[in-house]
């Protein structure tokens, strides 16, 4: 007689050991899965660790198939007041269509607040900011590898009616993925002629490519209309991240003088990975027509090469 199939809950830390080092980067690369599981339509990550006035940063800024922005905050443990109010503040600051707060659970009081908020928001039509409270769950079937799902606890009542069909969502995702792939296919040959930094990289459908050395990751991000480059510092330990960041920031004047422009410096303050970022002026995005991208791609390539050569003498001493 066959043994019954056992479905066992799994601590999500077995799937993603660190929230900042594992889960957030994974979610940014697979945010379309979040949209699919919650039934809210097509989503794609535009940027992570997005700076907000006041010195804070949003985990993930996403875009839907209509070009509207979505703020996404995630945390391990139970959803709390800090992430709830921060998520709303970020959504207001960035003029987002909605905010999604992902946690392992949400208190009934926050579900009630989100439901009430959405009722008021719906009265403002397209101008209202919607709130989605989502749960991340993992489990194992018998001896299989862990699986996962996102489950919606609270969302606006009208969303299912307004949601796009699965076929339309899939078509929009395919178009965006193809556009990103073509962008990276156009950028990589230019970059590889200038530098061996990304010689092992291949064209992809995701929003960024990176090279890693210990806790340091040099990244190129492409959005719909522009690019930025950044150094991400993420050892998995917030205090260590801050210490490494301070070592580099101590050379800030020299670094910015050598680089030739001011950089955006963001310490984690015990919350997230530290970032040193530069938004590339006159850079193209994946939506920029192919025949109009070349000059901008040259600028992006020049920027990442200068960015790396400026920071790496200091970074290499810390690895």
């Amino acid at each position: 007689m066959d043994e019954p199939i056992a479905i066992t809950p799994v601590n999500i830390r077995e799937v993603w050991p660190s929230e900042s080092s594992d889960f957030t980067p994974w979610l940014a690369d697979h945010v379309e899965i979040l949209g699919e599981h919650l039934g809210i339509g097509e989503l794609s990550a535009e940027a992570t660790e997005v700076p907000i006035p006041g010195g804070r940063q949003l985990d993930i800024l996403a875009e839907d198939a209509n070009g509207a922005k979505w703020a996404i905050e995630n945390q391990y443990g139970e959803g709390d007041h800090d992430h709830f109010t921060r998520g709303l503040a970020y959504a207001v600051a960035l003029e987002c269509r909605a905010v999604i707060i992902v946690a392992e659970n949400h208190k009934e009081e926050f579900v009630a607040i989100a439901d009430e908020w959405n009722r008021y928001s719906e009265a403002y039509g397209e101008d209202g900011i919607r709130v989605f409270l989502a749960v991340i769950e993992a489990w194992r079937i018998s001896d299989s590898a862990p699986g996962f799902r996102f489950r919606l606890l609270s969302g606006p009542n009208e969303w299912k009616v307004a949601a796009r069909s699965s076929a339309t969502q899939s078509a929009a995702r395919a178009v965006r993925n193809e556009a990103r792939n073509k962008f990276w296919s156009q950028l990589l040959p230019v970059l590889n002629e200038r530098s061996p930094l990304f010689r092992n990289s291949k064209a992809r459908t995701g929003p960024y490519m990176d090279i890693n050395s210990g806790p340091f990751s040099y990244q190129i991000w492409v959005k719909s209309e522009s690019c930025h480059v950044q150094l991400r510092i993420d050892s998995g330990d917030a205090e260590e991240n801050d210490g490494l960041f301070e070592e580099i920031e101590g050379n800030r004047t020299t670094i910015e003088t050598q680089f030739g422009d001011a950089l955006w410096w963001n310490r984690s303050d015990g919350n997230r990975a530290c970032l040193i970022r530069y938004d590339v002026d006159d850079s193209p995005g994946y939506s920029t027509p192919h025949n109009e991208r070349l000059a901008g791609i040259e600028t992006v390539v020049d920027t990442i090469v200068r960015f790396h050569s400026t920071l790496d003498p200091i970074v290499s001493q810390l690895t």
Side-chain angles (χ1 to χ4, degrees):
M1 184 176 178
D2 293 337
E3 295 184 2
I5 297 175
I7 301 177
T8 308
V10 173
N11 190 312
I12 62 171
R13 291 157 188 79
E14 290 187 30
V15 185
W16 304 283
S18 166
E19 178 194 350
S20 60
S21 300
D22 301 302
F23 183 68
T24 300
W26 177 88
L27 182 57
D29 278 346
H30 299 83
V31 72
E32 71 277 4
I33 296 176
L34 175 65
E36 291 172 359
H37 283 201
L38 301 186
I40 58 179
E42 173 68 21
L43 292 177
S44 64
E46 291 299 298
T48 62
E49 317 293 353
V50 181
I52 305 295
R56 305 301 290 269
Q57 54 192 28
L58 170 69
D59 288 343
I60 301 171
L61 179 64
E63 184 178 276
D64 64 23
N66 296 316
K69 297 177 182 178
W70 289 59
I72 301 174
E73 277 286 292
N74 60 261
Q75 65 177 114
Y76 278 2
E78 191 168 57
D80 55 33
H81 177 272
D82 184 46
H83 282 79
F84 190 97
T85 54
R86 253 196 290 158
L88 285 171
Y90 295 164
V92 171
L94 294 171
E95 298 181 348
C96 292
R97 171 76 173 85
V99 58
I100 304 174
I101 303 169
V102 180
E104 293 179 74
N105 191 26
H106 294 276
K107 294 179 180 179
E108 290 185 4
E109 61 195 81
F110 289 119
V111 173
I113 292 172
D115 288 344
E116 189 69 12
W117 176 281
N118 285 325
R119 278 194 285 273
Y120 284 113
S121 179
E122 288 173 20
Y124 285 91
E126 292 298 317
D127 294 328
I129 297 174
R130 277 42 170 187
V131 175
F132 296 80
L133 301 184
V135 170
I136 175 64
E137 300 174 330
W139 70 89
R140 178 180 288 107
I141 300 176
S142 297
D143 296 326
S144 68
F148 68 92
R149 72 166 178 172
F150 295 99
R151 181 166 54 87
L152 184 64
L153 283 188
S154 178
N157 292 327
E158 95 278 17
W159 194 259
K160 288 185 179 180
V161 177
R164 298 163 63 90
S165 69
S166 297
T168 303
Q169 293 173 30
S170 297
R173 179 167 60 252
V175 169
R176 181 167 50 254
N177 287 348
E178 182 181 6
R180 285 176 177 159
N181 185 269
K182 287 181 177 179
F183 178 89
W184 296 123
S185 297
Q186 191 175 8
L187 180 139
L188 277 171
V190 179
L191 178 55
N192 290 336
E193 285 183 4
R194 288 282 310 279
S195 168
L197 285 176
F198 288 80
R199 62 181 179 274
N200 294 323
S201 298
K202 297 181 179 179
R204 60 192 63 193
T205 58
Y208 73 91
M209 60 173 52
D210 60 357
I211 52 173
N212 298 282
S213 178
F216 301 101
S217 176
Y218 291 95
Q219 300 178 332
I220 307 172
W221 278 82
V222 61
K223 295 169 284 186
S224 178
E225 304 294 340
S226 64
C227 293
H228 71 263
V229 300
Q230 65 184 30
L231 176 69
R232 178 185 174 93
I233 305 170
D234 194 346
S235 66
D237 180 90
E239 290 186 7
E240 183 178 352
N241 293 342
D242 289 344
L244 293 170
F245 178 83
E246 290 169 2
E247 291 282 348
I248 301 174
E249 192 180 29
N251 299 278
R252 179 171 180 170
T253 300
T254 301
I255 288 170
E256 293 186 337
T257 299
Q258 183 177 342
F259 181 72
D261 205 347
L263 304 176
W264 179 76
W265 301 75
N266 190 278
R267 175 185 167 127
S268 73
D269 291 326
N271 184 35
R272 277 282 175 271
C274 301
L275 294 175
I276 303 170
R277 169 174 166 170
Y278 185 74
D279 293 314
V280 185
D281 291 335
D282 301 319
S283 58
Y286 62 79
S287 295
T288 305
H290 183 274
N291 60 355
E292 298 178 11
R293 283 202 296 244
L294 189 56
I297 280 178
E298 294 277 2
T299 302
V300 175
V301 167
D302 174 70
T303 302
I304 188 61
V305 171
R306 284 191 297 117
F307 188 76
H308 179 268
S309 64
T310 300
L311 288 168
D312 205 53
I314 299 169
V315 168
S316 60
Q317 296 177 19
L318 301 175
T319 55

